[in-house]
Amino acid sequence: MSLFTPSPSVAAALEAGTPVVALESTIITHGMPYPQNLEVARQVEADIRAAGAEPATMAVIKGTLHVGLTDDQLEALAKARNVAKLSRADMAACMASGGTGATTVAATMITAHLAGIKVFATGGIGGVHKGAEGSFDISADLMELAQTPVTVVAAGAKAILDIPKTLEVLETQGVPVIAYGQDHMPAFWSRSAGIKAPLRMDDPASIAAAHVQRAALGIPGGQLVANPIPVEAEIARDVLAPIIATATMDAQTHGITGKGVTPYLLQRIFELTEGTSLTANIALVRNNARLAAEIATHLSHQGPRT
Ligand code: PSU
Ligand code: MN
């Protein structure tokens, strides 16, 4: 039996060699409230199609690993409560027990690679949390980037994380971090984290070429493309800093740990910014989807299958 089930449109695209862009589902179930989560999920899929690629949103539904969801499946997931948040550690257990779960960046990369999909668009990756020297809270997304050959387009790491520490771990793990079109590392809601990014590239063709070159060298792992949020949607860093501090303190006060931390912080920041954070989040995810479709298009024209 096949390990995963492609949707009819993804199966057709993979067969025809049309570029495909992977999408995660934790952003839908744990990253945004209903009904905006469903609207964004549909919009991002439409953006990818408009750019000439096929979207493949991943999820485990009743034990089956889906690569590409039908609109009914997308809607059910967006409305569902108590969906598991799946990473490398728990996706197999969820499938084996017939459960339903949304894929994080790590689980989406694993699934994309199984399906032969090389490019993945999301909002922000998980990273090293503030205070990780005490909590040891470092997302499995970072170690996934080090071992699974998928190019992930994100708007950098979220400002709820410790960005310098996140960059240190990525460097240690041998993950290329490529800022798109600027020298500075983007910080999700803001265009700059105030620190220089390790690498810079200015066009999708170069990013695709680097993906192919890495595979040719036999270096495992993927690439992180850090694409700054569009200027008009940006929230200034100094506006967000006190809000993030409050949200982080609230998480501690409420004893939130483990998998609960990221969803809690996102929800709290949404409340504290009266929804502005969500508007920015939507703009940056769509921007990342468009860039990912361009990279996937270049990759579909060149190089060996990786
Ligand atoms: N960052 C966001 N939105 C999200 C996430 C991160 O801006 O929805 C999700 C992604 O699925 C990411 C996961 O892979 O959170 C990381 O969770 P953790 O920190 O528990 O590894
Ligand atoms: Mn964590």
Side-chain angles (χ1 to χ4, degrees):
M1 215 184 93
S2 174
L3 290 171
F4 62 88
T5 301
S7 66
S9 52
V10 168
L14 290 172
E15 182 65 31
T18 309
V20 179
V21 174
L23 296 167
E24 62 157 308
S25 47
T26 297
I27 190 171
I28 302 172
T29 55
H30 294 71
M32 293 182 185
Y34 179 82
Q36 289 97 333
N37 59 351
L38 180 58
E39 287 161 22
V40 176
R42 285 178 172 150
Q43 184 65 61
V44 168
E45 292 204 346
D47 290 335
I48 290 172
R49 290 203 175 96
E54 181 61 32
T57 304
M58 317 296 194
V60 175
I61 302 174
K62 294 186 181 136
T64 299
L65 179 57
H66 289 271
V67 175
L69 302 180
T70 63
D71 195 63
D72 287 348
Q73 288 171 329
L74 204 60
E75 185 169 348
L77 202 64
K79 286 181 175 163
R81 292 181 183 272
N82 303 319
V83 176
K85 173 181 159 188
L86 303 177
S87 189
R88 169 170 278 263
D90 41 21
M91 67 185 290
C94 179
M95 289 171 68
S97 60
T100 292
T103 55
T104 58
V105 168
T108 304
M109 290 179 73
I110 293 168
T111 310
H113 182 48
L114 274 175
I117 300 168
K118 297 171 194 163
V119 184
F120 162 23
T122 186
I125 60 157
V128 181
H129 278 267
K130 294 178 200 285
E133 60 274 29
S135 68
F136 278 47
D137 190 349
I138 301 176
S139 176
D141 292 351
L142 302 184
M143 274 51 86
E144 203 59 52
L145 280 160
Q147 59 186 310
T148 302
V150 173
T151 289
V152 179
V153 183
K158 227 171 225 167
I160 56 176
L161 300 169
D162 187 321
I163 295 176
K165 286 197 183 76
T166 300
L167 287 174
E168 288 294 346
V169 171
L170 288 167
E171 187 194 11
T172 303
Q173 296 285 333
V175 177
V177 179
I178 304 163
Y180 185 63
Q182 67 180 31
D183 291 328
H184 277 176
M185 189 65 196
F188 202 79
W189 296 290
S190 321
R191 285 176 64 83
S192 173
I195 38 177
K196 208 166 172 282
L199 296 164
R200 168 184 175 156
M201 287 184 185
D202 293 333
D203 58 281
S206 307
I207 298 168
H211 179 113
V212 172
Q213 186 69 64
R214 187 173 171 94
L217 288 171
I219 303 173
Q223 316 188 95
L224 176 62
V225 178
N227 187 25
I229 184 171
V231 178
E232 62 280 7
E234 179 179 35
I235 307 178
R237 244 187 323 151
D238 51 346
V239 172
L240 273 177
I243 290 174
I244 291 167
T246 305
T248 307
M249 258 172 29
D250 291 350
Q252 276 168 10
T253 310
H254 289 90
I256 313 288
T257 56
K259 280 172 176 289
V261 174
T262 299
Y264 178 89
L265 291 175
L266 297 182
Q267 172 60 27
R268 197 71 192 100
I269 291 166
F270 172 71
E271 291 162 9
L272 292 167
T273 60
E274 291 164 356
T276 318
S277 66
L278 182 60
T279 311
N281 204 337
I282 294 168
L284 66 85
V285 177
R286 296 186 62 187
N287 193 43
N288 295 343
R290 287 185 289 261
L291 177 57
E294 289 184 58
I295 298 167
T297 302
H298 283 280
L299 275 173
S300 72
H301 294 155
Q302 62 170 276
R305 212 182 125 91
T306 57

